[in-house]
Amino acid sequence: MTDVTTPDARLRGLDDNAFRSRYGCDRFTATVISNRFRYIVEHLCADLLHNAFSPVLREWYDFATTICGPPEIGYPTPAVSNSLVVFIGTMTDAVKNLVEEYGIDRLQEGDVLIGNDPYRYGTHVNDVVFVRPVFDDGALIGFVNFKAHQLDMGGVVPGGFSGTKRNVYENGLVLPPRPLYLAGEPVQETWSLLLENIRFADLVALDMQTICRGLELGERLLKESVARYGLEAMLGAMRYATDAGAERMADAIEELPDGDWEGEALLDCDGVDDLEEYVVRARVIKRGRNVEVDLSGSSRQARTSVNGTVLDAKTAVAVAFKYLFDPHGTFTSGAIRPIDILLPEQTVMSALPPNGVVFLFWDATNLIVSAILQAFAAPLGRLAVAGDMGSTNLHNASGFYEDGTQWVSAIECGGEHGPWGATHAGDGDSYTFHFQLNNLDPALESIESSSPVIITRREYVPDTSGPGENRGGAAVLKDSYWLEPAEHHSMALRFKRPSGFGVQGGGEGMNGGVWLWAPSSEPGVRLISVEPEAYHDATPVSGWLDPETNELSRETGAYKFFADPPVHNTEVGASFRYVTNAGGGWGDPLDRDPARVRDDVRDGYVTIGGAARDYGVVVVGDPDEYPEDVAVDVGATAELRASLRGEPSAR
Amino acid sequence: MFGVDVGGTFTDVVAVRDGVIEVTKVPTDASSPQAAVLEGAARLDVAGAQVFNHASTHGLNAIITRRLPKVGFLTTEGHRDMLDAGRAWRPFDGQTNPHWRRSFGDAARPLVPRYLRRGVRERISHDGTELIGLDEQQARHELAVLSRCGVAGVAICLLHSYVDPAHEQRLLALAREVLGDIPVSISSAVSPLAKEYVRASTTVIDVFMRLIYTGYATELDAKLGDLGFAGAFNFADCAATLMPWQHALDQAHRIVFAGPAGGTMASARLGRATGETNVVCCDVGGTSTDVSLVLDGAPVLNTTFELEHDMVINALSAEVTSVGAGGGSIVAVAPSGSLVVGPASAGANPGPACYGRGGTAPTVTDACLLMGILDPDGFAGGEIKLDIDAARSAFEGLDTPLPFEERVRSAYRIAVSNIGEEITNIAIRHGLDPRELTLMAYGAAGPMLLAATMDDVGLGRVVVPPHPGLFSALGLLSTDFVHLESRSKYLVLSEDTADEVETIYIDLERRLRERVGEISGAVTVRRTFDGRLLGQTWEMPFVHVPDGAVTPASVPAVVTSFHDEYERRFGQRFADLPVQGVTYRVELIIEAPKYDHPELAPGAGQELEPSRIVELMGPAGAPLAAGLYQRDTLAAGDRLTGPAVVREALSTTVVMPGQVARIGSRGEIIVEPEPNGSAA
């Protein structure tokens, strides 16, 4: 499962000769080449980002690049781009599975192979893997690789994003490994097969050309490094970088006392009904420098496209451990080496075709991150990490302009961005991505220039953060007003239970919801208020919503699931609102410095009522009109905190 | 001619009179930075000088330390959190780090706290349609809140204001009514470009710079007058081009990062005099090495840059990248056992161990001393005696099995390699072949490290200019006035849109000429545009517009110019795809008086004999017997062969084995690989 075995001796303890005999070069050269790998992948990414045509690549950075070594040293991946974490973890296996099935003996200089089958390569069908073998003097010395989200891959939903597709045939075109270029010549039948089965083929063709040009650049740079430092040193540096990644992880794991711990997280349901919940249970068994993550006991695969694959599960485990144990080091294929994973087939994160259909895999496998973070919360103590927004709450809309051309707006008008949980380092940021993603956020002005939509609000919601000595990030509210008739798919998958769990005595972040407003009879753009009354004429889409008022409420609400109905067809002037889940708190909120609570009231993150209820801090004043005059009533706060501490059941 | 570079620790003042350079260094007092400037001006007698060109990092330091005045931010209702969100992107260090926080976010250190970020009801669409009229009553209400909070300035950025500035302009008038005469910056005037966060961020920086520099510049202007100065007082911007100080205050975001580009400009100037048009500029300082690029004789500029991760500013700036390898960079042992150099630095205080000011960590300077490159008695003109024992015990203290000499050699090699890798990185980014590049080696520590990169990187030659330690400051005397205007409009370039494009250019130029007023001196007007293939979202900047008006007849040449440039930069030509113009730029370039390094009298053109031989610890292993030379004895055309050490008062140049050096017409030392020789 992993690239090479960890050496017995610690890297630090190796003397020069031992180092040289293991890695074929001195330490200094190994470090230089490792850094070079990293900036090579950055150049390839910058090239694609700046020259891509599809919004999903050029605005979202929905792609990744890696360099990896040749088969005989186990495809070590010493450098990955600073982009989608969900991609980079799958890439080592994706390249291996792709070239071995195609046939390593058939590879020649100038080939580019592609494939997109999630069960072979991880992630989903829109993510096409592009692999270019690199030769030096006739010998295969490694691979330069892209995984890039293509704007469309066919299937029943334009753009593909949906949680309601029921089998792989609805999902999109599946490509087993095949050549896109052979010895530098384009393979026309592959281009035709792909481009004639997808929407927006013109754009996708341009993007693919740009990707292939980037692969050529990567090949050239890798060969230049070999010319400069020699092949043995380059391969040695690949192994050194991954060994160092494995050693950092194992060192950090070793510092924890041995033990067994458990955590779990929940995906609300699939797209069929809300009767079946999908639970990921992680039992972590830590001994010495190793950990086993036992995921058996998790739910069976879902009936619609909310599943992930085993490669995505492996990535999520690696990501969770990176967050907890090696947050600063770069991600390499070595990170997973000290970890064994036990995962039965056909769970929600190890789905199989044809019915375990995969699209929103990152939300399914983010359950693994949530569960592992919770499992380690107690043993890590102060270093525990509170929960994040959980789901990316995607929104996908499409339709036809008056002249008949089709448009699609993908992953830009839902609740894609939101908060992180708190840690000892401070409050959570309110505007980031869930733990497994790292992307650019498209400018609203760009979104509105390319899609028929007005983003009327994008702001934080008070009193949503999980309270704590450090509080979670606040929920993000985003309103979209649609200028064309459209077909909408809404994909918020984690509203049932708070994803923003608290740690170290911190509280849970509030859960979010989704609403739809039919076009108003009044002309013009509708700016929907954030006051409770605004929800009264809304149509509930998902979340715990009060049947009378449509307001969010865990107490009085009825749970509404995302696929009821699976598609919303709207006329000009409809509006959607997404409110994300909020991040969890870290530490006892009664220990939060009252001055910080006062500032939160002044800044609108917490209301005066919330300050008293969640933090036991009595704040007086008018934060809207006289923000600098709000103040803490010190005496009343002391009294309230004492009474709250004396009655833990009141909290 | 005066050039003044206000740094956080010292204010450097350079005066050139009749070709003679005088220099003084005054400690900067952060609470009153103008005092050091005036002190330096008085010391070198500013009376009668023609120009006083000024660059400062004071504004940048205020941003980075958040010692900032209180400002308000007004935007479209519902969008005030754009300043917290940025572009959401995390840096490499935040990719899987749960403790990472956006440095300017509300959870860390915001530039404008959330309660001073207020929404105003209004909305304009991307095509300029007014969707919701400006609610003036509500706007006044929000302004009243800012007034009660006592803001010193306001930044205004409304969505799509780059298409139609009407709402911002009206809001500016309302702000004046409610708040009185305080600085108010509106995004449609500061940076009328699409993508709201960066425009907003630029506007916020603009109002901060106006607040920080207005009183300062006004006072300097008056007090320089008191010292008898009657010439032109100018500010340098992030591209090291000049603006009269009053104009600088009108576009204050342009001066936030002035300084680092000075060396780039000086390299371009010296390169022009000596026939070097493609130059990698390396400024080795105490903490880091700044690397920038001159191509075809002009500094390579970016249209945006970051002050902190994702704190983006729309302004032309020299593309400067920093690598943590300077003279004070600390040598340490990583957990995996490798030696590492930087990014930690001993700084100016305590400085390298050999300074004897209490520093105990080994640094690159300590390594150079132990290798025999630096002269313990002759450092900094003899002002600092270097303590070789302190350097030795610092290296002995490293927790590593490496033998002593290997530690020292590795430290030098790693510092050189870090710089070399950054040069390679930049060459890759710009698609350049390092063999066709000349490296300009400056900063006091540059000449002792940079010739050693030549072999690693495969550079054509390394040039050490005269006065390498003052080279950046002289850059302020190597530059022109550049006035510029730009505007965004998405237009597919075609016969149908040619007239509209021309109208934009004419209007931009008219505004420039109005702003500048009467011009004395040679003027160049340059038109460029930022464009993209239709469907792309990131623009390729500075596409050359062929001379003459843009007309239906000439527009194909503009389109071809784009395709040519695209092919040159990215290696592909999509000639069938339409080209979309995004931002149109006009520069008005007015020549300013400049300093040129004087010609050096030619010598006999002989291979020189060294004054003596010194033994160096060789970076590659074996000891080196290096010839020693004094720079002030060298004449143009003189030649010497490495290994060699050339000493001057404030700097030391190392020529490696396998390299030869000759002295150029301006006194520059030109180091090249030995012809037909094998590099060591």
Side-chain angles (χ1 to χ4, degrees):
Chain A
M1 186 150 183
T2 53
D3 32 38
V4 286
T5 52
T6 305
D8 299 331
R10 314 297 306 284
L11 291 172
R12 191 188 179 109
L14 296 178
D15 66 23
D16 264 15
N17 287 334
F19 192 95
R20 193 182 288 273
S21 73
R22 177 166 289 157
Y23 295 114
C25 61
D26 59 21
R27 265 177 206 283
F28 166 69
T29 306
T31 309
V32 171
I33 302 176
S34 302
N35 290 337
R36 183 169 285 205
F37 290 144
R38 213 172 85 180
Y39 67 70
I40 291 174
V41 299
E42 285 174 37
H43 283 301
L44 301 195
C45 281
D47 185 71
L48 179 55
L49 178 71
H50 293 142
N51 294 292
F53 289 82
S54 305
V56 70
L57 298 180
R58 62 178 208 213
E59 307 279 356
W60 249 82
Y61 215 134
D62 198 342
F63 60 91
T65 319
T66 65
I67 288 173
C68 69
E72 65 271 19
I73 59 169
Y75 307 88
T77 305
V80 301
S81 54
N82 181 29
S83 49
L84 285 172
V85 192
V86 289
F87 279 15
I88 62 186
T90 59
M91 288 285 274
T92 305
D93 294 297
V95 172
K96 176 178 191 291
N97 292 345
L98 200 150
V99 299
E100 292 191 356
E101 184 177 352
Y102 176 78
I104 290 167
D105 296 345
R106 293 168 65 193
L107 296 174
Q108 49 188 336
E109 190 145 13
D111 288 354
V112 176
L113 305 184
I114 60 169
N116 77 336
D117 179 12
Y119 309 98
R120 288 171 164 104
Y121 316 126
T123 71
H124 54 199
V125 283
N126 285 54
D127 297 336
V128 177
V129 186
F130 297 77
V131 176
R132 185 172 181 102
V134 181
F135 290 84
D136 181 63
D137 246 352
L140 178 63
I141 60 164
F143 301 91
V144 181
N145 318 295
F146 266 106
K147 188 170 219 181
H149 186 107
Q150 307 302 313
L151 191 56
D152 193 83
M153 202 42 65
V156 295
V157 178
F161 289 100
S162 155
T164 55
K165 293 184 283 192
R166 296 204 179 208
N167 54 56
V168 297
Y169 315 107
E170 292 183 4
N171 204 21
L173 180 68
V174 176
L175 293 168
R178 56 187 298 126
L180 188 65
Y181 285 86
L182 280 176
E185 292 301 315
V187 178
Q188 191 53 47
E189 49 270 47
T190 300
W191 288 90
S192 302
L193 172 73
L194 182 65
L195 298 176
E196 290 177 24
N197 279 285
I198 64 174
R199 304 171 185 88
F200 312 110
D202 290 353
L203 282 185
V204 171
L206 291 168
D207 285 342
M208 285 174 47
Q209 287 177 47
T210 303
I211 289 166
C212 291
R213 200 251 335 266
L215 290 172
E216 280 175 39
L217 173 66
E219 176 190 47
R220 178 169 70 74
L221 297 175
L222 209 55
K223 288 170 87 159
E224 279 177 12
S225 300
V226 173
R228 172 76 186 83
Y229 296 101
L231 180 58
E232 202 188 354
M234 194 197 73
L235 299 179
M238 286 179 166
R239 289 185 294 110
Y240 169 71
T242 48
D243 286 352
E247 185 171 288
R248 281 197 311 271
M249 183 66 79
D251 285 351
I253 288 170
E254 191 173 25
E255 282 181 24
L256 211 62
D258 286 354
D260 300 2
W261 303 280
E262 288 179 358
E264 73 168 49
L266 173 82
L267 197 73
D268 293 359
C269 55
D270 63 15
V272 175
D273 56 45
D274 65 347
L275 302 177
E276 184 164 349
E277 297 175 343
Y278 294 89
V279 182
V280 165
R281 294 193 177 85
R283 181 177 169 82
V284 294
I285 301 153
K286 187 264 160 183
R287 299 288 184 274
R289 294 170 63 77
N290 293 91
V291 177
E292 180 180 290
V293 177
D294 181 355
L295 297 166
S296 52
S298 301
S299 298
R300 67 165 184 168
Q301 69 187 26
R303 298 158 294 177
T304 62
S305 47
V306 300
N307 296 295
T309 66
V310 61
L311 294 183
D312 304 313
K314 179 179 167 184
T315 301
V317 169
V319 168
F321 276 78
K322 280 285 295 171
Y323 271 96
L324 292 173
F325 295 103
D326 183 25
H328 296 290
T330 46
F331 197 106
T332 72
S333 57
I336 194 80
R337 216 182 286 162
I339 305 157
D340 289 324
I341 302 169
L342 201 61
L343 174 58
E345 286 185 341
Q346 287 197 311
T347 71
V348 67
M349 68 217 132
S350 56
L352 290 176
N355 298 317
V357 59
V358 172
F359 208 92
L360 308 176
F361 64 91
W362 61 90
D363 275 1
T365 58
N366 207 40
L367 300 175
I368 300 174
V369 180
S370 293
I372 292 177
L373 259 43
Q374 288 177 81
F376 281 113
L380 279 171
R382 274 183 56 79
L383 292 174
V385 175
D388 65 353
M389 63 192 289
S391 166
T392 42
N393 314 298
L394 297 193
H395 188 91
N396 192 20
S398 61
F400 295 89
Y401 290 114
E402 229 171 290
D403 67 1
T405 53
Q406 189 171 25
W407 59 269
V408 63
S409 158
I411 56 173
E412 57 188 21
C413 290
E416 291 85 5
H417 307 93
W420 269 12
T423 73
H424 70 84
D427 296 344
D429 271 337
S430 300
Y431 205 83
T432 175
F433 300 88
H434 86 28
F435 283 133
Q436 286 201 92
L437 302 174
N438 187 19
N439 295 65
L440 279 173
D441 180 29
L444 300 185
E445 291 176 348
S446 297
I447 295 173
E448 294 182 2
S449 299
S450 50
S451 297
V453 66
I454 306 290
I455 310 284
T456 48
R457 283 186 194 279
R458 191 193 68 172
E459 59 187 346
Y460 307 149
V461 188
D463 285 344
T464 52
S465 300
E469 186 180 340
N470 292 328
R471 62 166 172 76
V476 175
L477 176 150
K478 187 151 66 177
D479 288 351
S480 57
Y481 174 90
W482 294 86
L483 301 166
E484 291 282 340
E487 169 185 316
H488 302 270
H489 294 255
S490 176
M491 292 156 261
L493 303 184
R494 288 183 69 183
F495 282 160
K496 228 175 211 175
R497 208 189 278 175
S499 60
F501 54 86
V503 293
Q504 292 282 294
E508 293 171 339
M510 289 269 289
N511 269 14
V514 183
W515 299 261
L516 164 64
W517 281 266
S520 144
S521 51
E522 314 243 325
V525 169
R526 184 169 179 193
L527 188 60
I528 297 162
S529 138
V530 293
E531 299 302 320
E533 305 78 59
Y535 294 96
H536 294 181
D537 62 341
T539 304
V541 176
S542 57
W544 292 96
L545 304 176
D546 184 286
E548 300 293 316
T549 66
N550 296 325
E551 289 171 53
L552 270 179
S553 171
R554 271 304 285 279
E555 290 75 34
T556 65
Y559 176 76
K560 177 104 170 38
F561 87 107
F562 74 97
D564 173 24
V567 179
H568 300 270
N569 288 297
T570 63
E571 293 305 314
V572 173
S575 297
F576 275 87
R577 167 170 294 172
Y578 280 75
V579 172
T580 68
N581 292 350
W586 179 96
D588 186 344
L590 298 183
D591 291 336
R592 187 170 174 89
D593 181 350
R596 291 175 73 194
V597 178
R598 177 203 62 205
D599 288 351
D600 275 348
V601 170
R602 183 196 70 184
D603 283 340
Y605 281 104
V606 173
T607 63
I608 286 179
R613 182 184 65 240
D614 295 336
Y615 297 92
V617 175
V618 179
V619 178
V620 294
D622 180 346
D624 291 331
E625 295 299 314
Y626 296 89
E628 294 195 344
D629 296 340
V630 296
V632 175
D633 181 332
V634 177
T637 296
E639 219 169 283
L640 178 58
R641 282 191 155 178
S643 95
L644 289 171
R645 284 201 171 97
E647 301 167 23
S649 59
R651 283 184 39 74
Chain B
M1 285 193 282
F2 271 64
V4 181
D5 190 0
V6 184
T9 318
F10 286 105
T11 296
D12 291 332
V13 184
V14 180
V16 179
R17 248 181 295 258
D18 305 324
V20 178
I21 300 176
E22 289 178 273
V23 189
T24 188
K25 231 177 174 52
V26 188
T28 307
D29 173 1
S31 64
S32 173
Q34 55 272 52
V37 177
L38 291 166
E39 168 69 26
R43 277 190 203 169
L44 300 186
D45 188 14
V46 75
Q50 269 187 308
V51 294
F52 192 89
N53 296 341
H54 167 281
S56 173
T57 54
H58 181 55
L60 176 67
N61 289 340
I63 299 286
I64 288 170
T65 59
R66 303 289 193 273
R67 284 193 212 104
L68 290 169
K70 188 193 291 182
V71 305
F73 172 72
L74 293 178
T75 188
T76 306
E77 181 178 338
H79 296 281
R80 64 170 166 163
D81 290 320
M82 68 169 76
L83 285 183
D84 175 80
R87 296 180 300 181
W89 178 254
R90 303 194 296 280
F92 236 122
D93 187 49
Q95 191 181 26
T96 54
N97 177 0
H99 314 297
W100 179 83
R101 298 291 180 270
R102 189 169 294 116
S103 66
F104 54 85
D106 292 341
R109 301 188 305 151
L111 297 176
V112 184
R114 192 169 191 253
Y115 75 97
L116 295 174
R117 310 195 304 255
R118 322 272 312 178
V120 174
R121 192 158 308 150
E122 66 85 39
R123 192 66 147 90
I124 287 170
S125 79
H126 74 99
D127 60 5
T129 311
E130 184 183 74
L131 300 172
I132 300 174
L134 178 66
D135 183 338
E136 297 201 2
Q137 196 184 345
Q138 188 255 351
R140 282 176 198 278
H141 184 96
E142 297 300 331
L143 284 162
V145 175
L146 293 182
S147 171
R148 286 197 288 274
C149 294
V151 295
V154 179
I156 298 174
C157 177
L158 304 179
L159 292 177
H160 296 297
S161 64
Y162 65 99
V163 181
D164 181 353
H167 287 182
E168 282 192 354
Q169 286 166 352
R170 179 62 191 144
L171 204 47
L172 169 66
L174 294 176
R176 292 247 179 281
E177 276 180 36
V178 177
L179 297 165
D181 187 23
I182 63 170
V184 178
S185 295
I186 62 172
S187 76
S188 49
V190 167
S191 176
L193 310 180
K195 300 191 182 180
E196 69 279 357
Y197 163 67
V198 180
R199 192 169 73 249
S201 162
T202 306
T203 309
V204 169
I205 297 298
D206 189 82
V207 79
F208 279 129
M209 291 304 110
R210 286 170 70 182
L211 286 163
I212 287 166
Y213 281 118
T214 301
Y216 167 89
T218 311
E219 185 185 333
L220 268 187
D221 183 59
K223 293 200 169 156
L224 285 171
D226 295 346
L227 291 172
F229 174 71
F233 170 32
N234 305 309
F235 269 64
D237 67 7
C238 308
T241 56
L242 298 173
M243 292 176 283
W245 68 276
Q246 299 94 333
H247 291 189
L249 296 175
D250 288 340
Q251 297 182 301
H253 64 288
R254 277 178 62 184
I255 58 177
V256 65
F257 192 48
T264 321
M265 204 48 103
S267 299
R269 184 78 187 159
L270 179 60
R272 225 167 292 159
T274 59
E276 303 283 0
T277 52
N278 293 331
V279 184
V280 185
C281 317
C282 275
D283 183 355
V284 183
T287 304
S288 64
T289 296
D290 287 343
V291 187
S292 56
L293 202 56
V294 170
L295 288 184
D296 299 329
V300 170
L301 302 184
N302 279 337
T303 53
T304 66
F305 63 97
E306 297 188 343
L307 297 180
E308 295 172 7
H309 170 76
D310 208 27
M311 189 193 283
V312 193
I313 311 297
N314 280 329
L316 296 191
S317 62
E319 182 184 292
V320 180
T321 54
S322 257
V323 46
S329 292
I330 288 174
V331 183
V333 183
S336 61
S338 307
L339 277 195
V340 292
V341 172
S345 166
N349 240 325
C354 62
Y355 282 16
R357 293 198 203 122
T360 54
T363 66
V364 172
T365 300
D366 294 307
C368 289
L369 176 64
L370 292 166
M371 291 170 71
I373 293 168
L374 293 175
D375 172 10
D377 300 320
F379 189 70
E383 276 181 35
I384 301 175
K385 284 263 183 284
L386 298 182
D387 181 346
I388 199 157
D389 293 331
R392 187 173 295 120
S393 55
F395 270 96
E396 281 168 356
L398 287 174
D399 177 17
T400 164
L402 288 176
F404 177 78
E405 285 210 356
E406 193 55 38
R407 300 172 187 197
V408 175
R409 272 199 289 270
S410 294
Y412 184 86
R413 282 179 63 203
I414 291 165
V416 166
S417 167
N418 288 355
I419 298 167
E421 284 297 300
E422 187 54 34
I423 296 169
T424 307
N425 194 1
I426 286 169
I428 292 171
R429 186 181 309 141
H430 292 276
L432 302 168
D433 182 342
R435 281 171 300 192
E436 286 158 22
L437 292 172
T438 293
L439 186 152
M440 192 70 74
Y442 55 98
M448 70 183 180
L449 294 173
L450 292 170
T453 64
M454 191 152 62
D455 184 36
D456 264 1
V457 181
L459 289 161
R461 62 175 64 93
V462 171
V463 170
V464 180
H467 312 293
L470 304 174
F471 196 62
S472 287
L474 287 170
L476 293 173
L477 304 176
S478 308
T479 180
D480 288 316
F481 292 99
V482 177
H483 301 272
L484 47 94
E485 285 278 342
S486 56
R487 188 185 306 158
S488 278
K489 177 118 200 198
Y490 296 104
L491 291 171
V492 174
L493 300 181
S494 71
E495 286 181 15
D496 301 338
T497 56
D499 291 340
E500 193 172 350
V501 171
E502 179 63 19
T503 307
I504 292 173
Y505 278 125
I506 289 172
D507 184 50
L508 290 174
E509 187 173 337
R510 181 184 52 74
R511 286 170 53 178
L512 271 178
R513 288 190 183 272
E514 275 173 18
R515 177 142 55 85
V516 175
E518 189 138 330
I519 299 168
S520 58
V523 179
T524 311
V525 178
R526 188 160 65 195
R527 291 176 169 192
T528 59
F529 72 101
D530 302 354
R532 60 197 191 192
L533 297 165
L534 187 62
Q536 293 180 327
T537 198
W538 298 83
E539 295 89 53
M540 180 173 69
F542 309 123
V543 180
H544 170 69
V545 178
D547 289 346
V550 179
T551 64
S554 75
V555 80
V558 180
V559 171
T560 302
S561 170
F562 176 92
H563 287 306
D564 289 348
E565 183 69 16
Y566 193 88
E567 186 173 10
R568 194 185 71 73
R569 290 194 208 181
F570 302 113
Q572 269 182 310
R573 194 178 186 96
F574 294 103
D576 295 342
L577 292 183
V579 173
Q580 187 176 44
V582 176
T583 300
Y584 310 86
R585 303 177 184 276
V586 177
E587 290 166 87
L588 201 68
I589 304 159
I590 305 170
E591 231 177 81
K594 293 184 204 63
Y595 170 75
D596 276 310
H597 294 281
E599 300 229 4
L600 192 65
Q606 298 286 316
E607 174 82 24
L608 293 181
E609 284 300 315
S611 57
R612 63 187 170 91
I613 301 292
V614 290
E615 181 165 311
L616 304 184
M617 194 189 285
L624 301 175
L628 181 69
Y629 303 85
Q630 297 300 325
R631 188 162 190 182
D632 55 11
T633 65
L634 302 178
D638 285 351
R639 290 182 287 121
L640 50 94
T641 301
V645 171
V646 183
R647 295 230 165 93
E648 58 191 294
L650 300 173
S651 232
T652 299
T653 299
V654 176
V655 183
M656 304 305 283
Q659 298 176 347
V660 292
R662 60 191 160 86
I663 309 306
S665 61
R666 305 286 171 144
E668 75 278 16
I669 304 175
I670 304 159
V671 185
E672 292 175 316
E674 196 171 3
N676 309 319
S678 59

